[in-house]
Amino acid sequence: MGNGVREGPVEFRRDVEPVTARIPAEDNQEKKKVLNSLMSGALAGAVAKTAVAPLDRTKIMFQGSSRAGLSPQEAYRLIYHTYLNEGFWSLWRGNSATMVRVIPYAAIQFCAHEEYKQILGNYYGFQGKALTPFPRFIAGSLAGTTAAMVTYPLDMVRARMAVTPKEMYSSIVHVFIRISREEGLKTLYRGFTPTILGVIPYAGLSFFTYETLKKVHADHSGKAQPSPPERLLFGACAGLIGQSASYPLDVVRRRMQTAGVLGHTYSSILLTMQEIVREEGLIRGLYKGLSMNWVKGPIAVGISFTTFDLTQILLRKLQHGPGLER
């Protein structure tokens, strides 16, 4: 009887100890995964946006004005004129504000996308497998929406710095102070609704297209992973489709964001669209600068997706050895 009493606790400890030891290991793996996604996303956003910053500023300047449509010749003239009058580094004016926004935005978006893919995969029973088309689109849309909601005021600041002379705003903090003092805090969220409405198709289609092309490539080539040039091409296609689908709402967003400094008053999405169409026409107004986006967008999105994937692979190899790839 005495032996029986002693054996009970011993057997109980033997059963429980492996379970309690396994939980911290799983938690650590999940934390590492989230941290890797955040770091990879931040780097992807920073590299992509810096590469296309001069073209991005040019596009914003045209979107915020009522000038004629942006052609490659007009874009070149504007970039050259800016360079002559304000200097070479002025082409990256507002890029510091872009970095302040895009680093957390891209980090949150890519990390959220990985988490939403896992959640939807568990819900639909696709653990460890590629999602089907509809959940693939939903994961991208939710990721973009999450990132946009958190970082929107920084996007407003970036737009203001891009369309104003450097004498007007001396720094990112100065933009926040002047907008809050002169126009009210709610101005920091002007254009928020068209942003969200635009992000849903843009992020959804971008992630959907990129993930779909990678899956089709794997199915037909027999290779588990595409090469870096193939990733760039897939990302470029994703950017082209996503940005073309959501472009009119991007124009509306920019108009509402920059209205206070350009002498316009836009009170709602529909009224802004109506005024743009009435004054400038449907195509020239709501699709102003789209040709620039067809140059800038695919480059930026291709660089972004490729940088994220390759950074993820590198971080996983550093942590687990050379056997793991995304």
Side-chain angles (χ1 to χ4, degrees):
M1 183 174 179
N3 290 338
V5 172
R6 282 194 303 272
E7 287 175 6
V10 172
E11 290 300 320
F12 178 75
R13 283 194 300 270
R14 193 179 298 145
D15 290 338
V16 171
E17 281 176 2
V19 176
T20 56
R22 199 162 51 238
I23 293 173
E26 291 175 357
D27 286 346
N28 287 336
Q29 282 298 109
E30 184 62 27
K31 287 177 182 177
K32 283 182 180 179
K33 178 186 170 187
V34 170
L35 184 60
N36 285 354
S37 295
L38 288 170
M39 292 171 60
S40 302
L43 181 62
V47 171
K49 279 296 184 181
T50 300
V52 298
L55 296 175
D56 212 20
R57 186 189 178 198
T58 303
K59 185 199 75 170
I60 293 173
M61 290 171 73
F62 267 83
Q63 285 181 330
S65 73
S66 56
R67 298 163 64 180
L70 179 61
S71 65
Q73 295 82 4
E74 279 292 321
Y76 171 77
R77 277 196 290 269
L78 182 56
I79 291 172
Y80 186 64
H81 183 267
T82 303
Y83 162 71
L84 288 179
N85 287 275
E86 302 180 39
F88 177 75
W89 293 113
S90 67
L91 296 174
W92 275 265
R93 174 166 167 72
N95 196 50
S96 58
T98 300
M99 290 299 101
V100 171
R101 169 191 170 265
V102 82
I103 288 174
Y105 181 93
I108 293 168
Q109 179 176 239
F110 278 106
C111 182
H113 182 247
E114 295 297 305
E115 295 303 308
Y116 285 130
K117 280 200 304 183
Q118 183 174 322
I119 291 169
L120 290 169
N122 292 338
Y123 180 79
Y124 286 102
F126 299 133
Q127 296 98 324
K129 300 177 184 178
L131 295 174
T132 51
F134 181 68
R136 207 177 296 156
F137 175 82
I138 293 299
S141 296
L142 289 174
T145 302
T146 302
M149 290 175 67
V150 174
T151 63
Y152 186 78
L154 294 169
D155 188 46
M156 159 67 82
V157 169
R158 170 220 178 192
R160 285 293 181 93
M161 291 189 75
V163 301
T164 55
K166 57 185 178 182
E167 296 80 15
M168 187 166 184
Y169 298 118
S170 59
S171 66
I172 298 170
V173 175
H174 189 210
V175 182
F176 274 110
I177 292 172
R178 282 198 62 174
I179 289 177
S180 302
R181 184 184 302 155
E182 298 173 8
E183 303 174 54
L185 284 173
K186 67 179 182 180
T187 303
L188 292 172
Y189 279 88
R190 182 181 292 160
F192 179 73
T193 302
T195 296
I196 295 300
L197 293 177
V199 158
I200 290 171
Y202 169 66
L205 286 170
S206 295
F207 279 106
F208 168 82
T209 303
Y210 185 68
E211 295 287 327
T212 299
L213 289 173
K214 286 204 304 182
K215 184 178 184 302
V216 170
H217 173 272
D219 292 343
H220 287 80
S221 70
K223 295 190 294 183
Q225 297 295 329
S227 65
E230 287 170 334
R231 291 180 193 273
L232 280 170
L233 178 61
F234 298 162
C237 292
L240 189 64
I241 292 171
Q243 292 185 341
S244 297
S246 62
Y247 196 78
L249 286 165
D250 191 40
V251 173
V252 171
R253 170 174 63 118
R254 293 300 181 203
R255 290 295 181 90
M256 296 180 77
Q257 286 177 336
T258 59
V261 293
L262 296 178
H264 295 283
T265 54
Y266 299 122
S267 57
S268 70
I269 298 172
L270 286 177
L271 289 176
T272 303
M273 280 189 168
Q274 287 174 1
E275 186 169 336
I276 292 172
V277 172
R278 184 174 63 250
E279 293 181 357
E280 305 164 50
L282 178 64
I283 303 300
R284 289 193 174 188
L286 292 179
Y287 289 89
K288 177 179 294 181
L290 180 58
S291 59
M292 175 67 75
N293 245 39
W294 283 343
V295 175
K296 175 191 76 72
I299 295 172
V301 178
I303 291 173
S304 181
F305 277 125
T306 303
T307 303
F308 176 79
D309 277 359
L310 296 182
T311 306
Q312 283 276 82
I313 291 170
L314 175 62
L315 290 174
R316 289 176 182 178
K317 283 182 176 179
L318 290 174
Q319 290 174 355
H320 304 291
L324 291 174
E325 284 197 1
R326 187 172 183 268

